[in-house]
Amino acid sequence: MPTEQNPNRDGRPILIVLHQERSSPGRVGQLLVEKGYRLDIRRPVLGQPLPTTLEDHAGVVVFGGPMSSNDPDDFVKKEIDWIDVPLREKRPYLGICLGAQMLVRHLGGKVQSNADGSTEIGWYPLHPTEKGRLLMHWPKMVYHFHREGFELPRGADLLAEGDAYPNQAFRYDGNAWGLQFHAELTRVMMHRWVVHGAHRFILPNAQQGREHLEGRMLFDAPLKAWLTEFLDIVFEGKTAKAASSIALRA
């Protein structure tokens, strides 16, 4: 039975940039498809080119990966330079973890580890800023898997903060968004990360595998609800329900 076309879609896909052969867009991809978008998946690390314009795309999501935005690899440098395309064309850009750090590097900001070597690997509290609270309602706990953080780029609005790494979410020039945390993991993806990333659980401030899985049972439902609404804000410019209610009370 054919699905009804959403009248708000013009048929252009969203560009999905992944950084490993077996990587998946996970829940972000699932939700975008449910919202009526097609996905154009590219893996620059495998030599797949990125488009020279986003004229034929509704926006782009750049995901995380095991590499650093400070790495000297050619594909890392080229991908950071490529971010000029969505910024110049004012197309929606969402960077998650590495994708956010690449955006920061493109904008001239620094990406580095804390001096004490602390990480965020597991579930940690999220604190929205005033601008973040006016935008939407945020989850209290979010999932992380990183050893580096980023400074806030000049001209960007900080939307949410963390304890170990203060800059957790930001918006730049209205169309570009960066998230340090992960909302895209499905249950299967988290199990895989816990297995393949177990060697990182000895790092400072990292949580053990059981805490990752127990945290998912406690905190994943509000994180998914947040992500659903957040994607509408990023790719359709919608105003969040929470923000609308705040405006009405003001």
Side-chain angles (χ1 to χ4, degrees):
M1 181 177 180
T3 57
E4 183 179 351
Q5 289 294 318
N6 190 317
N8 295 323
R9 308 291 180 267
D10 59 8
R12 290 182 295 181
I14 289 180
L15 180 66
I16 301 291
V17 181
L18 301 175
H19 297 103
Q20 290 179 287
E21 183 177 359
R22 297 180 183 273
S23 293
S24 161
R27 179 181 285 161
V28 166
Q30 292 173 357
L31 289 175
L32 289 173
V33 169
E34 288 177 10
K35 294 175 185 295
Y37 291 103
R38 293 182 295 113
L39 307 181
D40 177 6
I41 297 177
R42 312 277 184 105
R43 293 178 170 84
V45 66
L46 301 182
Q48 297 174 351
L50 296 175
T52 57
T53 177
L54 285 180
E55 184 177 313
D56 296 326
H57 291 82
V60 56
V61 185
V62 178
F63 286 81
M67 61 287 295
S68 167
S69 63
N70 295 316
D71 287 349
D73 303 73
D74 285 342
F75 87 90
V76 173
K77 295 178 179 179
K78 288 180 180 178
E79 192 171 327
I80 291 173
D81 289 342
W82 176 85
I83 294 175
D84 183 61
V85 173
L87 294 184
R88 185 179 67 248
E89 297 180 357
K90 296 192 179 299
R91 308 299 294 170
Y93 175 99
L94 172 57
I96 299 173
C97 199
L98 176 64
Q101 294 171 356
M102 285 181 161
L103 173 60
V104 170
R105 287 290 314 278
H106 181 83
L107 294 172
K110 293 181 180 179
V111 173
Q112 57 191 13
S113 299
N114 282 342
D116 62 1
S118 59
T119 66
E120 286 181 320
I121 299 177
W123 293 90
Y124 300 90
L126 187 71
H127 313 292
T129 64
E130 182 179 358
K131 289 184 178 179
R133 288 191 296 271
L134 289 173
L135 180 72
M136 66 184 304
H137 179 74
W138 296 73
K140 294 180 179 179
M141 299 288 285
V142 292
Y143 188 70
H144 291 271
F145 216 109
H146 68 95
R147 294 189 293 176
E148 293 181 313
F150 53 76
E151 67 179 10
L152 187 68
R154 184 184 299 272
D157 291 326
L158 184 62
L159 303 176
E161 300 174 298
D163 296 332
Y165 284 85
N167 299 323
Q168 291 289 330
F170 69 91
R171 176 172 55 182
Y172 177 80
D173 198 27
N175 299 91
W177 308 74
L179 303 176
Q180 182 61 80
F181 55 90
H182 295 276
E184 79 277 15
L185 269 69
T186 63
R187 181 179 58 82
V188 171
M189 288 173 66
M190 182 169 288
H191 278 271
R192 188 165 64 243
W193 284 29
V194 166
V195 170
H196 293 291
H199 62 286
R200 299 183 185 273
F201 299 163
I202 62 172
L203 296 174
N205 199 46
Q207 298 172 5
Q208 297 305 301
R210 67 178 182 278
E211 297 174 90
H212 295 227
L213 301 176
E214 290 170 356
R216 181 177 180 86
M217 290 187 291
L218 295 171
F219 310 126
D220 185 62
L223 183 59
K224 180 181 180 181
W226 170 85
L227 179 62
T228 298
E229 195 165 23
F230 182 69
L231 291 174
D232 285 341
I233 294 173
V234 173
F235 292 105
E236 300 185 19
K238 288 186 177 180
T239 301
K241 297 174 184 176
S244 298
S245 62
I246 290 172
L248 289 172
R249 293 197 302 267

